[in-house]
Amino acid sequence: MSSQKPLNVGLVGYGFMGRTHSNAYGKVNQFFDLDRRPVLKAVCGRNESNVKAFAERWGYQSTETDWRNLLSRSDIDLVDIATPNDSHAEIAIAAAKAGKMVMCEKPLGRNPTEATRMVAAIESAGTPNMVWYNYRRVPAVMLGKQIVDEGRLGKIFHYRAKFLQDWTISKDLPQGGAGLWRLDANVSGSGVTGDLLAHCIDTAMWLNGPIQSVTGVTETFVMERHHNLTGKVERVTIDDASAFLARFDNGALATFEATRYARGHKALYTLEINGENASIFWDLHDLHRLHYFDHRDEGRLRGWRSLHVTDGDHPYMKHWWVPGLQIGYEHTFIHQVADFLEGLRTGRPAAPTFRDALATDLVTDAVLRSATSGRWETVGRG
Amino acid sequence: MSSQKPLNVGLVGYGFMGRTHSNAYGKVNQFFDLDRRPVLKAVCGRNESNVKAFAERWGYQSTETDWRNLLSRSDIDLVDIATPNDSHAEIAIAAAKAGKMVMCEKPLGRNPTEATRMVAAIESAGTPNMVWYNYRRVPAVMLGKQIVDEGRLGKIFHYRAKFLQDWTISKDLPQGGAGLWRLDANVSGSGVTGDLLAHCIDTAMWLNGPIQSVTGVTETFVMERHHNLTGKVERVTIDDASAFLARFDNGALATFEATRYARGHKALYTLEINGENASIFWDLHDLHRLHYFDHRDEGRLRGWRSLHVTDGDHPYMKHWWVPGLQIGYEHTFIHQVADFLEGLRTGRPAAPTFRDALATDLVTDAVLRSATSGRWETVGRG
Amino acid sequence: MSSQKPLNVGLVGYGFMGRTHSNAYGKVNQFFDLDRRPVLKAVCGRNESNVKAFAERWGYQSTETDWRNLLSRSDIDLVDIATPNDSHAEIAIAAAKAGKMVMCEKPLGRNPTEATRMVAAIESAGTPNMVWYNYRRVPAVMLGKQIVDEGRLGKIFHYRAKFLQDWTISKDLPQGGAGLWRLDANVSGSGVTGDLLAHCIDTAMWLNGPIQSVTGVTETFVMERHHNLTGKVERVTIDDASAFLARFDNGALATFEATRYARGHKALYTLEINGENASIFWDLHDLHRLHYFDHRDEGRLRGWRSLHVTDGDHPYMKHWWVPGLQIGYEHTFIHQVADFLEGLRTGRPAAPTFRDALATDLVTDAVLRSATSGRWETVGRG
Amino acid sequence: MSSQKPLNVGLVGYGFMGRTHSNAYGKVNQFFDLDRRPVLKAVCGRNESNVKAFAERWGYQSTETDWRNLLSRSDIDLVDIATPNDSHAEIAIAAAKAGKMVMCEKPLGRNPTEATRMVAAIESAGTPNMVWYNYRRVPAVMLGKQIVDEGRLGKIFHYRAKFLQDWTISKDLPQGGAGLWRLDANVSGSGVTGDLLAHCIDTAMWLNGPIQSVTGVTETFVMERHHNLTGKVERVTIDDASAFLARFDNGALATFEATRYARGHKALYTLEINGENASIFWDLHDLHRLHYFDHRDEGRLRGWRSLHVTDGDHPYMKHWWVPGLQIGYEHTFIHQVADFLEGLRTGRPAAPTFRDALATDLVTDAVLRSATSGRWETVGRG
């Protein structure tokens, strides 16, 4: 019935991120005019009844309980990895070798070694690939990118980002297992550094270029927690908080911070860039607003402009409703799928690719090394 | 394949509101656990190729070009009216007589006469019915309703609402036809009074009870516009701006205002209630925040609380993502469908019904009468 | 020792307003370069020991217990009236007849009859005069005036002002006597209409020209209070809340509201003007910010600008500190004295004069008349 | 005439800070009930005509052109140092030796060596002393201190402060001489580290206890500027920007940043503390608001409270106007004088003393050392 060429999707993982991805595949053709249409061929998960229920809810045509089965299915074009971090490398490398396109949740690997192997595999396969750093595709953030690319800021002096949450303050919160694997470093690789800071770093390098060197510090405020899988109180292996100073290649000085101990903040991802001529500021809690200051405005009438990024000439917004009416978190994933499909059409791959995401892993690695060494560490180049 | 009992939907109209409704029917079962599932049986519109394209995009199983055909189809349970205001009454009354459930875009009629006939028809048919005053179902607004219902505000002194836009300031904007029928009083009934003020009034009476009397004023700033259907410059028949003072049955004093000439505001619907003990304030431009002031807080630490209504214990939010992550405009329609379906299950109809919406039409009518008479006008009771 | 010519001041009243005026006289020459210097010759009040304590604290050279004595003193140039409203007319008229300059607290009279007699007396005397509508001289408000006068807004469509307080909600608050005479209509003339709305109206007509007609409503939420002077529970004679709709001569539509029953607001005076090309908004609670929207800004980068009015090229601010550093409420009075003294030098009297303030009394009178008649009332012209 | 015992003040320096101090001495007894009254005995500056003009404007009884003369005058109780940083140590030590009370502008010395000698001298003399870290006495900041001292925050996890300005971005701005000595490290000691960061550090240790160790970075974006005193283009010796990570003794992790290259910010001093139970945030640009989040509030109604710190039960505010009405920057100095005088009366010296200010110099020193070493540096203890 549809006029678009299908793109057959096999999703691995059906947790929180499985929902955001499934929603994106289902909505993208209703709001964007594209020549491809994602078709939800299969979803894979280890618990058969759960995965079947998920498939029914989201309209997947089949289910699998072993992701390896997806690789041999000729009706799967794209393998989408929405599993915990410890399986990203294995699945992605195998999928690449099987000639599949691969989309992978962030961070790419648990460490640069894994991520480097993933980049090698996908580039060797030559198949389209992308990593779900979704915040690039908030309309207000994308408008910030346009402002930067148009050179409106002038020479950049400062970059400032933080991602503050407060959901792990209670000592009674356990670690491990479904929903809580992010607190177990064996699974996640690291704590807020690879989880929240990775988002900040991805956006930062996209907006302001490579980070040269960092000095960082991490902290674990709650040292022991009940572990859901072992059933015992175990040492917490992740970092609860992480902060670092950085220098970018372009000379800008930066501060970064992420924590899950910032009482009162649920998901306060903020970023600010100060340039010679203009500055921008954004805040995930009020995601439709970009704050823009332009020093070239007439002096008496100069001030931070609160841009409500909902107009037809704002990024992505002509696809949605009318000025003043907002979209939300889930739409960033829809935009990402739209851009990925458009990249397939034009042959200009949408970012961030695996290679782009490796660069982020190299920064988080330098931060963690610095937190141990107490010195500035140079960021590796992939 | 699905375990829920189908609810077969026939949609009339495929413009802006047709999209919001279609999206709601498609998403509701992915995010809410319900015993009914809307099935998109048919969409109806006069232009055959347009309606077919719409059907393909949104997954409707069939199309019609005459809405009367829907009424005789036994596979249609619910007729959803998303057409311009001048056809609401005819379609709704016929659908009711055909024994269909009816959902209708707001305002219910172009005037109380139409609306009264619609109420009579639907109540005579005894079928479930609802009007799409969607803003009640913004999570922050619904939280406001809970606060009111819990008696936290105490005796109410003041209600204050406005809905400010700026999209019709240009004299070059034409009137009439697709997208611009709101500027033609023959089609719309009135200008901002029935369009924007109606939203303010619906929420106001839901939160604060009946409005007793009003004194109002309307204004038309641009007196002539090119008419898209006649091809001629014609007198503008709608009100561009409308404001009124009101007394509620509960003694509260109120100010209301709506305009499309408030430069700088895209869709600034704000509401505020001041009670003896506490107050609330909400603003559509930042729709996830409810501002709450409670005088019973300890004196030195008393202040307006900015509630970021995204937690699992906030209205509707457990169905979406995690704290801090936002939803948008379209979700209010999804919530409305969820509540409608839940109302079918429980037998307690979700509001606003046709009768509730008639009450709003009676207030807008009193405002328009007062704008002519220059006096306070008593609001009719339906 | 001083190089400036003295301006000898005799102050009547030493309450809250006596303090703000005294502070202004004392500070003005330290921050402004002027050719006149206020000298605090005398302060007058009925309670001798209180007035002496006040004189010592503020540096007045002498005290009086009968204001009539000031009029015959040749060492008094200016009589400054900071008493409750019921003595404004008598003192001002006598001072004018005695050939004194007169500054008077607002509102000018308790009603247009008193105010008209005061204007006649001062204009007959031909002496400099001014009324303390201090909010005109908040730097951000004065910047708004500059923006209006430069024609940046274009044709004005809407004016919107409110002044919300919450300090009289408790039924236990008495009326009458020191600090509470504003709740006694015999003394004050009216409640919030003459107190808070008068401020809104003064600024409105200064910014947007004459008000033509109004329809208003008033309310008294607490009907009886203990009276401090009679010692009995007495009927409350003032309006606790007041709201009106208005049309300006320039065609703009307006809403005004004042109340002391808006829980959560201490002194929320806000004003907004929407013009064809631009809009401004201001809020006394954050008095240094003027919000400015200019539609001529490039589309994608258009937004409300938050002007932190603290730069050297902002009104009054070069006399104070450095950009970013704020001044407060009391400074509006200092600015008013500076402008008054500068008006003496140039011969171009600073506004608002008695005649300007009469115009405000004529609007409040029309509001009160309309609240009784239930109709639109034409505003008298002085 | 006055009933208070005089405190005879000799001020050294009549620039920006000379004005803020003089204003404070003149106003304090009009708003605070104290048993001492500052008497402006003498002001000292090198340019005789300028200092005489200053004396006339501010009411100083005499002038001096050599500060040493103040020390021998028996009519001077207190020497107040408002000169550039390079003369703080010499004047303060001599004044202490002469038995004078000493108030000194911040930072105390240009480095810990100077500051240590100053502390030794004043403690040896045993005379009252204070340093003008004025921001402690913003009412909202002092309310934050009360909240901390009452234990409302619980265990502290994070401290976050920054002080952002943008006034030195232009390459054409010269360095050196009046008003620009802050850009000349010989005079100032350092750039933003000793100027802006010092404020952040003083407040931080007052609120959150000693800082243990830091890792920092500094940057000079404009390397050469015309020097006003030499008339030549010279190397810029100060740091334009400075950032550091820190650990407090109490285990909290911190980020600090100061710059004069943050386009769009005039004096954006912000601070935030996140505790186990509650958090506070403050911003100098809107200095009357303290933002307070308390996790113990009922879940659904939990949010950041915007406290408009203008009530009678808020710190200092009962001395000023009425709720809702603001004070400004200059009032922090008035509060400091009031507290100093009250400390004289009670014998409990008001902070920060010279010893407190030395602690801040030891932190800035560690930051500058770390910026050179690239390592974490332990903060010296005075």
Side-chain angles (χ1 to χ4, degrees), chain C residues 3 19 23 27 30 33 56-57 266 285-286 289 308 311 319-321 326 329-331, chain D residues 3 19 23 27 30 33 56-58 266 285-286 289 308 311 319-321 326 329-331:
Chain C
S3 56
R19 291 172 74 217
N23 184 66
K27 300 310 298 174
Q30 287 167 349
D33 292 314
E56 183 187 325
R57 182 174 287 255
K266 299 172 187 174
H285 272 210
D286 293 296
R289 296 202 179 266
H308 199 256
D311 290 346
H319 299 283
W320 298 102
W321 312 105
Q326 301 184 199
Y329 167 73
E330 74 214 46
H331 299 72
Chain D
S3 56
R19 292 171 74 219
N23 184 66
K27 298 310 298 174
Q30 287 167 347
D33 291 314
E56 183 188 324
R57 181 174 287 253
W58 291 96
K266 299 172 187 175
H285 272 210
D286 293 296
R289 296 203 178 265
H308 199 255
D311 291 345
H319 299 282
W320 298 101
W321 312 106
Q326 302 185 199
Y329 168 74
E330 73 214 47
H331 300 72

Side-chain angles (χ1 to χ4, degrees), chain A residues 121-364:
Chain A
I122 202 80
E123 294 190 346
S124 163
T127 52
N129 59 92
M130 203 179 198
V131 180
W132 292 94
Y133 280 110
N134 63 300
Y135 292 118
R136 292 187 180 197
R137 286 177 167 86
V138 172
V141 175
M142 187 59 85
L143 179 61
K145 172 67 170 166
Q146 293 178 353
I147 289 170
V148 168
D149 287 352
E150 290 161 9
R152 291 176 189 267
L153 303 192
K155 177 175 167 49
I156 305 302
F157 297 124
H158 292 288
Y159 196 97
R160 214 168 280 120
K162 53 181 192 281
F163 204 139
L164 309 182
Q165 301 185 336
D166 68 358
W167 62 281
T168 63
I169 291 178
S170 168
K171 292 182 173 72
D172 300 333
L173 186 78
Q175 60 177 319
L180 293 166
W181 59 263
R182 282 182 179 78
L183 305 191
D184 180 343
N186 289 332
V187 179
S188 59
S190 69
V192 294
T193 305
D195 182 13
L196 306 181
L197 268 185
H199 274 301
C200 299
I201 293 163
D202 173 71
T203 324
M205 294 198 294
W206 176 57
L207 290 172
N208 200 39
I211 292 174
Q212 201 169 80
S213 56
V214 301
T215 186
V217 60
T218 61
E219 184 58 87
T220 303
F221 291 112
V222 173
M223 298 300 291
E224 293 189 324
R225 292 183 185 277
H226 177 86
H227 199 294
N228 277 334
L229 301 183
T230 68
K232 292 187 293 191
V233 171
E234 299 208 354
R235 198 170 143 264
V236 170
T237 52
I238 57 144
D239 42 299
D240 291 336
S242 181
F244 69 97
L245 307 176
R247 287 180 186 280
F248 282 80
D249 279 8
N250 69 2
L253 212 60
T255 64
F256 287 84
E257 183 186 5
T259 180
R260 296 192 191 111
Y261 283 75
R263 184 55 86 195
H265 299 302
K266 299 172 187 175
L268 190 78
Y269 174 14
T270 68
L271 66 86
E272 177 168 353
I273 317 180
N274 301 136
E276 188 176 2
N277 300 318
S279 292
I280 58 173
F281 173 84
W282 174 79
D283 165 1
L284 175 58
H285 272 209
D286 293 296
L287 62 82
H288 262 293
R289 295 202 179 266
L290 184 72
H291 297 268
Y292 174 68
F293 179 91
D294 195 322
H295 188 68
R296 289 157 300 200
D297 282 344
E298 184 184 345
R300 282 179 315 147
L301 303 181
R302 214 183 267 148
W304 282 84
R305 301 183 193 180
S306 177
L307 311 181
H308 199 256
V309 184
T310 57
D311 291 344
D313 57 359
H314 285 142
Y316 302 112
M317 292 308 297
K318 73 176 174 192
H319 298 282
W320 299 101
W321 312 106
V322 294
L325 300 183
Q326 301 185 199
I327 58 173
Y329 168 72
E330 73 213 48
H331 301 71
T332 59
F333 295 88
I334 304 173
H335 299 163
Q336 186 147 355
V337 173
D339 288 348
F340 180 77
L341 296 179
E342 186 65 5
L344 293 185
R345 187 181 69 80
T346 62
R348 290 187 301 276
T353 62
F354 275 31
R355 180 160 288 278
D356 297 325
L358 165 60
T360 292
D361 280 9
L362 288 164
V363 177
T364 55

Side-chain angles (χ1 to χ4, degrees), chain C residues 343-376:
Chain C
L344 293 185
R345 187 181 71 79
T346 63
R348 291 188 299 276
T353 62
F354 275 31
R355 180 161 287 278
D356 298 324
L358 165 60
T360 292
D361 282 8
L362 288 163
V363 178
T364 54
D365 177 65
V367 171
L368 295 170
R369 282 188 284 123
S370 169
T372 301
S373 72
R375 297 164 177 262
W376 283 80

Side-chain angles (χ1 to χ4, degrees), chain B residues 256-277:
Chain B
F256 287 84
E257 183 187 5
T259 179
R260 298 193 190 110
Y261 282 75
R263 184 56 86 194
H265 299 303
K266 299 172 188 175
L268 190 78
Y269 174 14
T270 68
L271 66 86
E272 177 167 353
I273 317 180
N274 301 137
E276 188 176 2
N277 300 318

Side-chain angles (χ1 to χ4, degrees), chain C residues 265-312:
Chain C
H265 299 302
K266 299 172 187 174
L268 190 77
Y269 174 15
T270 67
L271 66 86
E272 177 167 353
I273 317 180
N274 301 136
E276 187 176 3
N277 300 318
S279 292
I280 58 173
F281 173 84
W282 174 80
D283 164 0
L284 175 59
H285 272 210
D286 293 296
L287 63 81
H288 263 292
R289 296 202 179 266
L290 184 72
H291 297 269
Y292 174 68
F293 180 91
D294 196 321
H295 188 67
R296 289 155 299 199
D297 282 346
E298 183 184 346
R300 282 179 315 147
L301 304 180
R302 217 182 264 148
W304 282 84
R305 302 183 193 179
S306 177
L307 310 181
H308 199 256
V309 184
T310 57
D311 290 346

